[in-house]
Each structure stands twice: as C-alpha cells, then as structure tokens.
Amino acid sequence: MTFEVPAHGGKPASRIRQKNEETIIKAAEDEFARHGFKGTSMNTIATKAGLPKANLHYYFTNKLGLYVAVLSNILELWDSTFNTLTAEDDPAEALTRYIRAKMEFSRRQPQASRIFAMEVISGGECLTEYFNQDYRAWFQGRAAVFQAWIDAGKMDPVDPVHLIFLLWGSTQHYADFATQICRVSGRSKLTKQDMDDAGTNLIRIILKGCGLTPSI
C-alpha cells in the first residue's frame, strides 16, 4: 500500500473527490477513535458518514486503506505547516506561528491525533512506509532550518532534532491527553480559550529556551 502525504509531494485530488474523502475520513476518525481499528467496520463508517457502503469502497478499497488515509490526513496537516519554515524567517515569529497552528490542529482534530499516537505506541506497523528514507530526508531538511538559524546567530545553539520532538510532543499532548488535563484542572472539556492560553505558555517557554523573545 502506498502511503502518500501531499506535504512531501504527490498529486492533489480533485475538489469533488477531496470533499467526499473528507466526509468519509471524518466519520472514520470518529469510529476508529471510539472503537479502535479492529472494532470498526466499513458499515459503521458508512452509516456515520451518511453514505452507501459502495461509496466508501469507491474511494477506499478496504478498512486498512481508510485507516491509513486517516493517519495520512493528520500527517498532512502537521507537516504542511512545518514546510513553511525557511532559513530566512525570523525564528521567533516562525515558531510562534507553528506552535499556534499545531495547537489549533489539536483543538480541531483531537481524535485523529489520538489515533496517530495509539498507532505509534502499538508499534507503528501501518506507518512503516511513511517513516522511510524520503521522510528522514524531509525531517533532516526541517532540522537544517533550525541549524541555519543557529549558525546565523538568530537563536541559541540547541539541538534541532530534540527541539522538533519537543514542538511535536508538547502541542500534541493537548489532544492526546486531554482527558488527563481536564480531570487535573477540573474542567469538563478544553475550550478554545484554554488551548489559546496553553499555546501562549508553550510559546513563552520554548522561545525563551531557544534564546528568543516572544512577541506575545
């Protein structure tokens, strides 16, 4: 099975196909997050999407293909935002935008983030093709942007690889561990304001750790 993430290249889908796939993927996210891969069927996804089962099979041959599409969708959102970072950017402004964008993804699509986290925790078998040489080259390119900022004296000499892991882990935490956060903080759910406040705090901590001055 080919695991394509448009952020790393690939042919964009037509508008109609894209709209239908988005409807199906959203329904699949709900079902996979609630019942897991094994406990979810194409019938339940079709019902959730309000489409005939035949429509699902037109776009996705089987459940595994749809599951991989759900993973691909969240990776596309995360990675396409990361692609906008360049060595010419102001690091404080670029990191602020990136953290805000990742926190918004965690707010709007928490279920997809949790599905991805559980897939990785369980061994990431369906992500084997994704974490290939092309991905590693893409990742190294992102780390090179941070290194260019460091070499230019724009930020402190932190390890770019571990900084990227910190950015990913801290922002996705608010989707993956929302239940823990709510119970500890006494909230029934995380609101947009909660996520904005958390993002502001992350920006202050991460940017100052990189020797940067937050503009918030």
Side-chain angles (χ1 to χ4, degrees):
M1 178 180 298
T2 301
F3 196 124
E4 293 185 356
V5 178
H8 307 150
K11 188 176 181 180
S14 68
R15 183 172 298 180
I16 294 175
R17 183 182 185 90
Q18 185 177 22
K19 181 179 179 181
N20 289 338
E21 287 182 352
E22 285 174 355
T23 299
I24 295 169
I25 287 172
K26 178 62 175 67
E29 285 178 5
D30 292 343
E31 292 302 309
F32 286 134
R34 180 175 297 182
H35 305 292
F37 177 76
K38 292 183 178 179
T40 298
S41 70
M42 293 292 271
N43 281 331
T44 59
I45 294 172
T47 300
K48 184 77 174 181
L51 296 169
K53 184 179 177 182
N55 284 38
L56 266 67
H57 286 290
Y58 174 78
Y59 291 104
F60 304 98
T61 304
N62 52 43
K63 186 173 70 170
L64 178 59
L66 182 48
Y67 178 70
V68 169
V70 169
L71 296 174
S72 176
N73 185 58
I74 191 63
L75 288 165
E76 160 64 7
L77 291 174
W78 290 341
D79 296 348
S80 62
T81 302
F82 213 29
N83 280 344
T84 63
L85 301 179
T86 69
E88 288 70 38
D89 288 335
D90 175 84
E93 293 177 359
L95 288 176
T96 295
R97 288 195 303 270
Y98 181 66
I99 292 170
R100 289 292 186 198
K102 283 296 302 309
M103 289 297 290
E104 186 65 5
F105 292 147
S106 287
R107 183 180 77 85
R108 289 181 175 272
Q109 294 190 288
Q111 291 179 321
S113 181
R114 292 168 197 151
I115 293 168
F116 175 83
M118 290 304 298
E119 172 64 24
V120 173
I121 291 170
S122 65
E125 182 178 348
C126 291
L127 291 169
T128 300
E129 185 175 341
Y130 172 69
F131 293 126
N132 58 19
Q133 184 58 44
D134 288 342
Y135 173 80
R136 289 192 289 273
W138 173 85
F139 180 88
Q140 290 166 3
R142 300 301 84 209
V145 172
F146 290 93
Q147 189 60 54
W149 289 340
I150 293 168
D151 293 342
K154 294 182 178 181
M155 60 183 281
D156 286 354
V158 298
D159 187 310
V161 170
H162 291 294
L163 176 56
I164 292 172
F165 292 155
L166 174 61
L167 289 166
W168 287 352
S170 60
T171 52
Q172 287 155 226
H173 178 87
Y174 288 88
D176 302 341
F177 294 92
T179 299
Q180 178 194 42
I181 295 169
C182 286
R183 291 187 177 180
V184 170
S185 62
R187 288 170 167 75
S188 59
K189 66 177 182 178
L190 295 177
T191 65
K192 185 179 186 305
Q193 188 61 56
D194 290 330
M195 297 296 276
D196 288 344
D197 291 344
T200 297
N201 197 51
L202 287 179
I203 290 166
R204 289 195 178 113
I205 293 171
I206 294 174
L207 265 63
K208 287 187 176 182
C210 294
L212 302 171
T213 301
S215 58
I216 54 178

